Each structure stands twice: as structure tokens, then as C-alpha cells.
Amino acid sequence: MSLVGSLCNSYFYILQDIEDVIMRAKEVGINSVISVTEEANDFERVIHLSKSYPGVVAPCLGIHPIQCWGSQEQRSVRLQDLDSALPLFQKYRDEIVAVGEIGLDFTPWYAPHAEHRDEQEAVFRRQLEISKALDLPVNVHSRSAAKVTIAVLKEEGMGHYL
């Protein structure tokens, strides 16, 4: 049996023992991993990782609904967070396997107001448009937002998502 690790976030690239991690994954039958991004500044690193481990690391590019992950400044995504990523989707269109990790996170401490949730949804919808234009599936994050996430996916006519 061949397995795929479907959610290796962008911090996968900072592992000092990445060779060992990949070797151990292969030993248990995981032959490839899908490495997702969370912010635009992660894109180049994930692409580099996929080139360093061709056929093993499959890159996804996307803007996560929560930005500045792991810092005191964690916050809900804004439309301007997507701006620097837009040209990178085109630049790497032939190298990425999906658009992700994208979606909605309505956890109250990240999205306490309707404006936060509305802006997350706008960023999500824009990335769904990009995935359709590139004919790529999406890797979806949803927390405290399942009904809205599913409704948006249906409204946008998405048929391929993880």
C-alpha cells in the first residue's frame, strides 16, 4: 500500500532532521507528502523543498485564514495578505498540485466580528477562483465554519477538495 501525507504545513521545511523524517515516513509506507503553505512568504520555501525532494514533496500554495501563525500577532486573514501571493500562483502553476491550505476559521478569538468573517470569505472565494482557473483541487481548512465552508464550496461549483 502507498500512502500520501496530506497535510504537512509550511513549517515542514524548517525541520533539521528532514532527511530522517522523510526516511521514516517511507519506512511506514508514506511515499509522498503534500506540503501546504499558510502565508505568501512560505511559497518559495515549499517550492524549494519540492525541488529538493522531487516526487516526495508535492507543493500546494495558498493563504491560510489565520495569518502570523505561532506569533503574538495571530489574526484573521485580510485581502491584502493575498496580494503578494497572486503572481506566485501563476509563476508556479505548473509545479503545484493544489491550492491550499485555504478556507475559513471563525474561531472567536481570530474572527470576533462579522467584518473578519466576511474578509476571510472573500479571500477564500478568490482562491477558489484561482484554483478553477488553474484547474487544480483545493486543500481546505475549516474550523468553527463548516456550514459556511461547505456552502461556499457548493456556490463556487467546487468538485475537488480535500
Side-chain angles (χ1 to χ4, degrees):
M1 174 186 336
S2 180
L3 301 173
V4 174
S6 66
L7 186 61
C8 294
N9 72 23
S10 56
Y11 299 106
F12 184 62
Y13 66 84
I14 65 170
L15 294 174
Q16 296 201 357
D17 61 343
I18 194 163
E19 292 278 342
D20 187 51
V21 169
I22 289 174
M23 183 184 71
R24 285 184 286 138
K26 287 184 175 184
E27 287 173 358
V28 297
I30 298 172
N31 294 322
S32 62
V33 295
I34 298 172
S35 186
V36 300
T37 59
E38 296 173 357
E39 300 178 18
N41 62 4
D42 296 333
F43 283 25
E44 300 285 346
R45 288 178 263 199
V46 168
I47 293 296
H48 175 73
L49 190 60
S50 72
K51 289 179 178 179
S52 297
Y53 300 95
V56 177
V57 176
C60 293
L61 302 183
I63 302 299
H64 194 277
I66 303 303
Q67 294 294 285
C68 304
W69 194 256
S71 75
Q72 296 288 64
E73 293 83 36
Q74 285 183 9
R75 61 173 173 74
S76 187
V77 70
R78 300 178 194 129
L79 280 166
Q80 62 261 32
D81 295 320
L82 187 56
D83 291 344
S84 61
L86 293 175
L88 298 173
F89 285 108
Q90 288 302 321
K91 180 178 180 179
Y92 295 116
R93 70 180 299 150
D94 295 329
E95 298 176 54
I96 59 177
V97 298
V99 174
E101 181 176 355
I102 65 173
L104 302 173
D105 193 319
F106 292 170
T107 307
W109 49 88
Y110 297 129
H113 305 290
E115 306 87 61
H116 297 119
R117 295 184 292 277
D118 291 346
E119 197 154 21
Q120 276 191 28
E121 186 174 326
V123 171
F124 183 38
R125 286 181 186 275
R126 179 67 184 110
Q127 290 182 99
L128 292 174
E129 291 171 12
I130 291 166
S131 76
K132 288 189 287 188
L134 298 177
D135 194 29
L136 290 170
V138 292
N139 182 297
V140 178
H141 171 95
S142 177
R143 182 169 37 191
S144 302
K147 287 182 182 178
V148 178
T149 302
I150 292 168
V152 169
L153 289 167
K154 287 181 179 178
E155 287 169 22
E156 295 294 332
M158 299 304 296
H160 298 86
Y161 43 88
L162 174 64

